[in-house]
Amino acid sequence: MAKQSLWLRCEKKQFERRTAITPTTATKLIDAGFGIFVERDSQRIFKDEEYEAVGAKLVEHNSWPNAPKDIPIIGLKELPESEDPLPHTHIQFAHCYKQQAGWSKVLSRFHRGNGTLYDLEFLTDAQGRRVAAFGYHAGFAGAAAGALALASERRGQILGQLEPYENEDAMVSSVKKELGGSGKGLKVLVIGALGRCGSGAVDLFRKIGVEENDILKWDMAETAKGGPFQEILDVDIFVNCIYLSSPIPPFLTKQQIAAAGKDRQLRVVVDVSCDTTNPHNPLPVYDINTTFSKPTVPVEVGEGNPPLSVVSIDHLPTLLPREASEQFSANLLPSLLELPNRQTARVWVEAENLYRQKLADAVKVEGL
């Protein structure tokens, strides 16, 4: 009998092709004595047969609600909205610990079902750094989406549906082609440039040919004075890659945009951080998340002024689903191997303690 089982659920978010456990990682878990159940999923970048070939047991699509209650359910994106209680242990990105829209209702489902949430965003190492993150590929893909949006704007068009790329090289080639062969001549600004996400954005801009001096790389030192920042208006593309952990002054405001009028160079904002519904969103110039089918939302700029659009897709790494999944899953593996000892293993103990704190807050808000 397996010392620990895991149930890899399908992803129900449209266009989401990534996964938390790849066949490579499944192999290593099975070799360590785990039992791996994998829901059939035609949307996932890896074929069902790839899992079956390494010894995972295939189960019906979206059947996790009927899984044995003692098997943790692992996925990536949040579950579809529902009132149903959640009795299982879930490992996923839940987006409900920073008072995002509907956060308390999400947690109330765990309360009613007596389940447990281990939020992937808050699995951290001894230094407080996330054990696994999609940050690099989020920044890389976000910068690409921004460049594609700019290319469309220059043609007088709105960026159409985005499709996942087979690999990074294919993405870079496509972006360069849409820009007429190269990104040379563009001026871009990345805030959060020293982090994983920011480094991905900077790398994409380099690979499409933006000259080094035209890639403004800002981090905490440059933003310490507090926004709003005029410099954002003086580039073609601005990419926000910060991790918002406390209230900060806005980076960009509607008043700034209006005051700049026709002199504004900025055409595209890419909000990789996507704190859209966070009350302290540092980019209060838009209020909706965009999607792969409609990647941009226009900003109100006033009559006669040049257009400005925002890319605010909250699962950008799925534009590179295979590479992003392999990297994330490999980084998550050491923590998954400790799952059988989650009552004592630091990474899981701390994640559960945080869940209990957030659950208590939600119970108060919901009056449960």
Side-chain angles (χ1 to χ4, degrees):
M1 184 175 176
K3 67 177 182 181
Q4 172 72 59
S5 292
L6 271 172
W7 188 289
L8 178 63
R9 64 171 171 82
C10 63
E11 297 293 333
K12 301 305 289 183
K13 190 178 184 77
Q14 190 178 25
F15 301 111
E16 182 55 81
R17 304 192 70 197
R18 293 173 298 164
T19 182
I21 297 179
T22 66
T24 304
T25 301
T27 300
K28 293 176 180 177
L29 289 168
I30 291 168
D31 288 347
F34 280 62
I36 303 296
F37 296 86
V38 177
E39 291 185 355
R40 297 180 183 275
D41 188 4
S42 60
Q43 183 171 281
R44 191 186 293 126
I45 187 65
F46 300 97
K47 292 182 172 59
D48 296 341
E49 293 75 20
E50 294 181 68
Y51 290 96
E52 194 170 37
V54 300
K57 179 177 175 56
L58 296 181
V59 292
E60 288 306 305
H61 182 81
N62 204 37
S63 57
W64 63 265
N66 298 318
K69 300 297 184 289
D70 62 341
I71 300 181
I73 312 298
I74 186 168
L76 280 182
K77 301 304 289 184
E78 63 272 21
L79 297 168
E81 289 186 17
S82 169
E83 297 292 324
D84 294 342
L86 294 172
H88 290 91
T89 291
H90 285 262
I91 305 168
Q92 65 182 60
F93 289 104
H95 304 297
C96 62
Y97 281 6
K98 294 188 284 185
Q99 299 195 0
Q100 296 97 325
W103 69 277
S104 58
K105 286 186 168 45
V106 172
L107 286 168
S108 70
R109 296 179 63 190
F110 287 94
H111 175 77
R112 294 197 308 276
N114 200 32
T116 303
L117 170 64
Y118 292 113
D119 196 307
L120 289 166
E121 184 176 350
F122 299 95
L123 294 183
T124 57
D125 63 19
Q127 288 72 46
R129 187 175 170 84
R130 287 167 62 178
V131 299
F134 285 103
Y136 179 85
H137 287 99
F140 196 95
L148 291 170
L150 181 66
S152 294
E153 188 272 325
R154 288 177 167 178
R155 294 193 296 266
Q157 300 172 347
I158 296 172
L159 181 60
Q161 180 166 311
L162 296 174
E163 299 287 350
Y165 294 88
E166 189 60 35
N167 51 50
E168 288 181 10
D169 289 344
M171 173 180 278
V172 169
S173 296
S174 174
V175 173
K176 289 170 74 173
K177 179 182 177 183
E178 292 299 313
L179 288 169
S182 171
K184 186 176 181 179
L186 294 185
K187 190 170 184 180
V188 302
L189 169 61
V190 179
I191 294 185
L194 297 182
R196 282 184 279 210
C197 177
S199 66
V202 169
D203 281 355
L204 181 282
F205 287 132
R206 285 174 177 149
K207 289 186 176 185
I208 65 171
V210 181
E211 295 184 330
E212 197 68 27
N213 288 342
D214 288 331
I215 305 174
L216 304 185
K217 299 176 270 295
W218 283 22
D219 211 272
M220 294 179 71
E222 291 80 6
T223 58
K225 63 183 179 181
F229 300 110
Q230 171 64 34
E231 293 91 338
I232 292 175
L233 298 174
D234 298 332
V235 298
D236 299 297
I237 303 171
F238 162 51
V239 184
N240 175 40
C241 292
I242 70 156
Y243 181 80
L244 185 65
S245 58
S246 59
I248 59 172
F251 292 160
L252 182 67
T253 66
K254 292 181 179 178
Q255 292 78 9
Q256 257 187 303
I257 293 168
K262 293 181 173 62
D263 295 328
R264 170 176 44 82
Q265 184 174 343
L266 182 68
R267 294 293 186 273
V268 179
V269 172
V270 183
D271 191 7
V272 181
S273 302
C274 276
D275 286 302
T276 315
T277 63
N278 191 304
H280 307 299
N281 178 14
L283 295 173
V285 299
Y286 80 103
D287 59 6
I288 64 166
N289 280 49
T290 60
T291 63
F292 285 124
S293 55
K294 292 184 178 179
T296 63
V297 59
V299 175
E300 179 55 52
V301 295
E303 190 173 350
N305 291 322
L308 175 61
S309 60
V310 175
V311 176
S312 57
I313 299 169
D314 68 1
H315 57 138
L316 281 163
T318 204
L319 283 176
L320 291 167
R322 186 173 291 271
E323 287 163 308
S325 295
E326 288 286 19
Q327 181 188 55
F328 181 89
S329 193
N331 291 341
L332 184 61
L333 177 61
S335 298
L336 291 178
L337 289 170
E338 290 192 86
L339 193 61
N341 305 314
R342 61 183 177 274
Q343 303 305 323
T344 55
R346 183 201 53 76
V347 65
W348 297 106
V349 169
E350 291 183 0
E352 182 165 354
N353 288 343
L354 180 61
Y355 161 68
R356 298 295 172 194
Q357 293 171 26
K358 300 298 181 181
L359 183 66
D361 293 341
V363 168
K364 289 178 185 176
V365 169
E366 294 291 318
L368 299 175

